[in-house]
Amino acid sequence: MRSHSEPRTSAGTLTPRKRATRGGLAAVGVVTMLGLAACTAADASTGDADAAPASLDAVNLIAPADPGGGWDQTARALSQVLTEEDLVGSAPVENIGGAGGTVGLAALANEKDPATLMVTGLVMVGAVETNASQVRIEDTTPIAKLTEEALVLVVPASSPYKTTEDLVDAIVDQGAAISVTGGSAGGADHILAGMLLTEAGVDPADIPSTLNYIPNSGGGEAVTMLLGNTVQAGISGVGEFVEQIEAGELRALAVSSPEPVALLPDTPTLIDEGYDVQLTNWRGLLAPGDLDDADVAALQELVTQVHDSDAWAATLEEKGWADAFLVGDEFQSFLDGNITEVTQTLQTIGLVAP
């Protein structure tokens, strides 16, 4: 399942007690680890061995989708910042695609290496419900929310649909004859399509039969289908379609944010187009479940260092991602609320039974 050329490494340099039996401190990162040993020894002498989180010499990253999509882009951007900023020596990326990220979620649940981070987001929250996944996000350890991104509704450049209304009216009139592609079933793209039809007056009970939604496990597949004119429209994050939009291969009809986005300043919002609909996709990071406090603190500190770096700020600007950083209890609270909200939305638009 690995698509990255760099082999997966063991990245388990998390807590002093987990490393104490692995050859001492005379390995990679000796200076850092010697300093850490001194700190933890002092903590141990006061009876608080977990007070200082350990330094990480490597971390494994999982993109729970095929190459080319937003999760893959996020994982690889994170890997680049981690290594170029010398925050870790190694940060290989592994792609584990399928079922809206729930295949990757199941792999994370079985992961024994605590130095593992998997990209997650709104798509996975929805996919857990639509796929009735046995493993849930609640079975993992939330680490941080990273970004938010508007979605964009596009059609091939040769499409007869010039506006959002043109496309929505065609779907309402012709039903399954109009196919719309995007990410996984039940994910942000699918939800947005359902919200648009609900706003257009389609009964939620009729949406599954009206909307011919073709899911993909990676943004690259959606681009291929659109450029090949095998589908009539597509929905995805702005960053996944912007290159083809700028090249004139795809036409952007509207974005799903409250305001226009910097990468597509001339593209109207859905609200501008007369549809009272807005939805932004978020992405964050999960770790394996049942981590101890020191493991969690080490991962949170590492991700905070990424967030605070100039390199990450440059990445956000380049990709058009909004900074939405939350860590610790704040991210946990956000995630709990988002799971409830998405589940209710899926029921409202007829994609999940009440």
Side-chain angles (χ1 to χ4, degrees):
M1 289 186 291
R2 299 183 181 99
S3 69
H4 196 272
S5 58
E6 183 178 358
R8 182 176 175 126
T9 61
S10 177
T13 310
L14 273 172
T15 63
R17 62 178 179 277
K18 289 191 177 182
R19 291 292 288 172
T21 59
R22 300 185 189 178
L25 300 173
V28 178
V30 63
V31 174
T32 301
M33 295 305 294
L34 281 173
L36 173 66
C39 292
T40 53
D43 293 333
S45 69
T46 62
D48 189 9
D50 287 337
S55 174
L56 287 161
D57 58 22
V59 66
N60 295 315
L61 302 174
I62 297 174
D66 294 340
W71 283 341
D72 180 66
Q73 290 180 22
T74 302
R76 294 183 189 280
L78 189 65
S79 174
Q80 183 174 351
V81 173
L82 282 165
T83 52
E84 290 186 355
E85 294 292 299
D86 294 324
L87 298 176
V88 296
S90 175
V93 176
E94 180 180 12
N95 289 88
I96 306 178
T102 56
V103 175
L105 185 63
L108 185 70
N110 294 319
E111 180 61 60
K112 302 304 181 185
D113 188 343
T116 302
L117 291 170
M118 185 184 75
V119 182
T120 188
L122 178 62
V123 171
M124 187 177 292
V125 174
V128 166
E129 303 303 327
T130 56
N131 291 306
S133 175
Q134 294 291 315
V135 178
R136 298 185 59 86
I137 292 174
E138 295 92 328
D139 298 322
T140 67
T141 302
I143 298 299
K145 181 185 178 188
L146 295 176
T147 64
E148 287 185 348
E149 182 183 23
L151 305 177
V152 59
L153 176 65
V154 302
V155 293
S158 59
S159 171
Y161 309 121
K162 307 298 184 182
T163 67
T164 302
E165 184 178 15
D166 290 344
L167 176 63
V168 172
D169 286 350
I171 295 173
V172 173
D173 291 342
Q174 301 178 48
I178 307 298
S179 53
V180 181
T181 192
S184 302
D189 310 334
H190 198 178
I191 289 173
L192 183 62
M195 292 172 71
L196 273 172
L197 292 187
T198 301
E199 177 70 6
V202 177
D203 189 315
D206 295 332
I207 287 178
S209 59
T210 303
L211 177 61
N212 180 13
Y213 184 81
I214 301 177
N216 290 291
S217 58
E221 296 177 24
V223 169
T224 298
M225 296 180 74
L226 285 159
L227 296 184
N229 287 289
T230 58
V231 295
Q232 282 70 52
I235 301 173
S236 193
V238 169
E240 296 178 48
F241 286 158
V242 67
E243 181 178 340
Q244 289 76 28
I245 294 170
E246 291 178 342
E249 297 170 326
L250 296 177
R251 180 188 307 128
L253 300 182
V255 293
S256 65
S257 51
E259 302 292 337
V261 299
L263 288 181
L264 298 172
D266 298 326
T267 301
T269 68
L270 290 170
I271 295 173
D272 293 334
E273 292 286 275
Y275 297 86
D276 188 15
V277 171
Q278 55 180 291
L279 181 70
T280 53
N281 191 13
W282 67 268
R283 299 189 185 104
L285 296 168
L286 303 174
D290 298 324
L291 298 189
D292 60 36
D293 291 344
D295 292 347
V296 175
L299 290 170
Q300 289 177 344
E301 173 61 23
L302 182 67
V303 175
T304 300
Q305 290 177 325
V306 170
H307 169 261
D308 293 345
S309 70
D310 290 340
W312 184 249
T315 297
L316 296 180
E317 183 175 359
E318 175 191 351
K319 299 290 187 181
W321 298 338
D323 185 359
F325 190 66
L326 295 175
V327 70
D329 291 342
E330 288 185 330
F331 180 41
Q332 180 69 70
S333 178
F334 165 81
L335 189 56
D336 291 342
N338 191 245
I339 290 170
T340 299
E341 181 181 6
V342 169
T343 301
Q344 292 173 345
T345 300
L346 288 168
Q347 293 173 352
T348 298
I349 62 178
L351 299 182
V352 170

